[in-house]
Amino acid sequence: MMQLVGFGILLMCLLMFSGCEEKTQEAMPLKKKQEFLENLTLQANNGEVLVINQKRQEKGEFALLESKPSILENLSITSGMRNIKILVFFTTWCDPCKGILPHLDNLKNQFGDKIAFFGIPIDDLVGDVENFKGAVQVFNVENLLNMPLILDENRTELFKALGGIEGVPLIALYGENGEYIIHYLGAIPEEMIEFDLTQNLEQKGL
């Protein structure tokens, strides 16, 4: 009986931290060639603009073995606002992406203007989509999406620089000065993001 209970708890934990990884590993391949980003602008549908720069890596013996986490860490993301920028990569067919949205709303209500979410749908970057913006609009309405969305073509350059991504939802946090904080893959608990946001804001005295 105890073994069955233990197995059940383990299964629940695996489901909680899973994202749309199995499907996306095939649909979101890593690219061998990575583009270097310099002053790449991404405009959200509410008019806000993000500026992305990539730190140059020193050329070395293991330069070609760089992993995606280090690429995320080497990005600087700034905007006209001095707050924490949170990028949310998702697809409209991903159930964990839909499931995490209410939790992101909770965080926005809790932290207010100290944080800013930006949704980045990537359906058209990982497969053939007849009506990408139409699919996003339906997703927006069905899920009462509150965050600004980035739909412009420069998403492609960012996606190339990342070499693709392992799965969705992928959530990446960047500080008020553009510095990398942390990123998460999959439908992680709201409390984990809340803790990291609180820690960062307290360190800044905000």
Side-chain angles (χ1 to χ4, degrees):
M1 187 66 170
M2 291 295 293
Q3 290 179 339
L4 289 175
V5 173
F7 178 76
I9 294 174
L10 176 60
L11 182 60
M12 287 178 62
C13 291
L14 289 174
L15 289 173
M16 178 181 298
F17 287 94
S18 68
C20 295
E21 295 182 41
E22 183 176 346
K23 185 172 182 180
T24 56
Q25 282 176 349
E26 180 178 350
M28 302 179 187
L30 297 178
K31 312 292 183 182
K32 291 184 179 180
K33 183 179 179 181
Q34 297 169 4
E35 301 293 335
F36 181 81
L37 301 180
E38 188 171 4
N39 292 326
L40 178 72
T41 60
L42 297 177
Q43 183 166 7
N45 59 359
N46 68 345
E48 292 190 62
V49 175
L50 297 179
V51 180
I52 302 179
N53 283 283
Q54 185 175 356
K55 299 176 185 176
R56 292 189 180 275
Q57 292 291 309
E58 294 183 5
K59 293 182 179 179
E61 182 179 356
F62 301 103
L64 296 178
L65 301 180
E66 184 178 335
S67 64
K68 283 194 306 309
S70 62
I71 295 173
L72 286 170
E73 293 169 15
N74 287 332
L75 296 182
S76 170
I77 301 181
T78 57
S79 71
M81 302 292 292
R82 293 183 63 82
N83 53 15
I84 294 178
K85 268 66 70 176
I86 305 174
L87 306 187
V88 183
F89 295 88
F90 70 93
T91 60
T92 60
W93 44 257
C94 169
D95 287 334
C97 297
K98 299 174 185 177
I100 202 172
L101 293 177
H103 300 287
L104 300 184
D105 283 341
N106 291 341
L107 292 170
K108 181 58 179 175
N109 291 334
Q110 178 179 349
F111 291 97
D113 292 338
K114 294 179 181 178
I115 66 174
F117 285 102
F118 296 91
I120 306 180
I122 58 172
D123 297 46
D124 58 331
L125 302 180
V126 299
D128 294 327
V129 180
E130 287 187 10
N131 185 3
F132 167 62
K133 291 190 177 180
V136 172
Q137 179 63 28
V138 171
F139 180 88
N140 191 3
V141 172
E142 290 181 346
N143 295 279
L144 302 176
L145 199 62
N146 293 319
M147 74 178 76
L149 295 178
I150 293 175
L151 304 173
D152 70 19
E153 295 181 357
N154 282 344
R155 289 175 304 116
T156 304
E157 299 305 314
L158 175 59
F159 192 76
K160 286 181 180 178
L162 294 177
I165 60 178
E166 293 179 359
V168 287
L170 173 63
I171 302 173
L173 278 60
Y174 292 85
E176 60 176 27
N177 296 316
E179 73 280 8
Y180 168 87
I181 299 175
I182 194 170
H183 74 276
Y184 321 92
L185 180 62
I188 65 165
E190 174 185 331
E191 293 77 12
M192 185 178 295
I193 306 177
E194 177 186 5
F195 176 81
D196 290 326
L197 286 172
T198 300
Q199 289 287 98
N200 185 269
L201 291 170
E202 286 181 351
Q203 290 173 4
K204 300 290 193 305
L206 300 175

Short mmCIF file of all heavy atoms in Angstrom, two decimals, residues 2 23 50 62 104 115 125 128 171 175 185 206:
data_model
loop_
_atom_site.label_atom_id
_atom_site.label_comp_id
_atom_site.label_asym_id
_atom_site.label_seq_id
_atom_site.Cartn_x
_atom_site.Cartn_y
_atom_site.Cartn_z
N MET A 2 1.91 1.25 0.85
CA MET A 2 2.82 2.40 0.93
C MET A 2 3.53 2.60 -0.41
O MET A 2 3.77 3.73 -0.83
CB MET A 2 3.85 2.18 2.03
CG MET A 2 3.26 2.23 3.43
SD MET A 2 2.61 3.89 3.80
CE MET A 2 4.14 4.80 3.84
N LYS A 23 6.51 16.63 -27.48
CA LYS A 23 6.09 17.09 -28.80
C LYS A 23 7.05 18.14 -29.34
O LYS A 23 7.36 18.17 -30.52
CB LYS A 23 4.68 17.67 -28.72
CG LYS A 23 4.10 18.08 -30.07
CD LYS A 23 2.66 18.46 -29.92
CE LYS A 23 2.05 18.83 -31.27
NZ LYS A 23 0.64 19.19 -31.18
N LEU A 50 10.96 45.93 -26.48
CA LEU A 50 12.09 45.31 -25.79
C LEU A 50 13.31 45.40 -26.69
O LEU A 50 13.21 45.25 -27.90
CB LEU A 50 11.81 43.84 -25.49
CG LEU A 50 10.64 43.51 -24.56
CD1 LEU A 50 10.50 42.00 -24.41
CD2 LEU A 50 10.82 44.18 -23.21
N PHE A 62 35.86 25.20 -26.47
CA PHE A 62 34.54 24.61 -26.28
C PHE A 62 33.42 25.56 -26.70
O PHE A 62 32.30 25.41 -26.27
CB PHE A 62 34.36 24.22 -24.80
CG PHE A 62 35.39 23.24 -24.33
CD1 PHE A 62 36.45 23.67 -23.54
CD2 PHE A 62 35.32 21.90 -24.68
CE1 PHE A 62 37.41 22.76 -23.10
CE2 PHE A 62 36.27 21.00 -24.25
CZ PHE A 62 37.32 21.42 -23.46
N LEU A 104 0.21 33.24 -13.67
CA LEU A 104 0.93 34.45 -14.08
C LEU A 104 0.09 35.69 -13.79
O LEU A 104 0.62 36.73 -13.39
CB LEU A 104 1.27 34.37 -15.58
CG LEU A 104 2.16 33.19 -16.01
CD1 LEU A 104 2.50 33.30 -17.49
CD2 LEU A 104 3.42 33.09 -15.16
N ILE A 115 6.84 44.22 -12.22
CA ILE A 115 7.13 43.19 -13.20
C ILE A 115 6.32 43.46 -14.46
O ILE A 115 5.31 44.16 -14.43
CB ILE A 115 6.83 41.77 -12.68
CG1 ILE A 115 5.32 41.60 -12.45
CG2 ILE A 115 7.60 41.48 -11.41
CD1 ILE A 115 4.92 40.18 -12.08
N LEU A 125 6.95 29.31 -35.77
CA LEU A 125 8.39 29.08 -35.82
C LEU A 125 8.73 27.60 -35.67
O LEU A 125 9.87 27.20 -35.91
CB LEU A 125 9.10 29.88 -34.72
CG LEU A 125 8.89 31.40 -34.76
CD1 LEU A 125 9.65 32.07 -33.63
CD2 LEU A 125 9.30 31.97 -36.10
N ASP A 128 4.13 24.44 -39.54
CA ASP A 128 3.33 25.16 -40.54
C ASP A 128 1.99 25.56 -39.94
O ASP A 128 1.24 24.72 -39.46
CB ASP A 128 3.10 24.28 -41.77
CG ASP A 128 4.40 23.98 -42.52
OD1 ASP A 128 5.28 24.86 -42.51
OD2 ASP A 128 4.51 22.88 -43.09
N ILE A 171 9.83 30.20 -19.50
CA ILE A 171 9.68 31.51 -18.85
C ILE A 171 11.05 32.01 -18.42
O ILE A 171 11.76 31.31 -17.69
CB ILE A 171 8.74 31.41 -17.63
CG1 ILE A 171 7.37 30.87 -18.05
CG2 ILE A 171 8.60 32.76 -16.94
CD1 ILE A 171 6.44 30.60 -16.89
N GLY A 175 16.27 41.34 -15.12
CA GLY A 175 16.16 42.41 -14.15
C GLY A 175 15.93 43.78 -14.76
O GLY A 175 15.93 43.95 -15.98
N LEU A 185 11.50 25.87 -17.28
CA LEU A 185 10.93 25.12 -18.38
C LEU A 185 9.82 24.23 -17.84
O LEU A 185 10.03 23.46 -16.91
CB LEU A 185 11.99 24.26 -19.07
CG LEU A 185 11.51 23.41 -20.26
CD1 LEU A 185 10.98 24.29 -21.38
CD2 LEU A 185 12.65 22.53 -20.77
N LEU A 206 13.45 47.08 -3.49
CA LEU A 206 12.17 47.51 -4.05
C LEU A 206 11.00 46.83 -3.36
O LEU A 206 11.13 45.80 -2.76
CB LEU A 206 12.13 47.20 -5.56
CG LEU A 206 13.22 47.86 -6.38
CD1 LEU A 206 13.16 47.38 -7.83
CD2 LEU A 206 13.09 49.37 -6.34
#
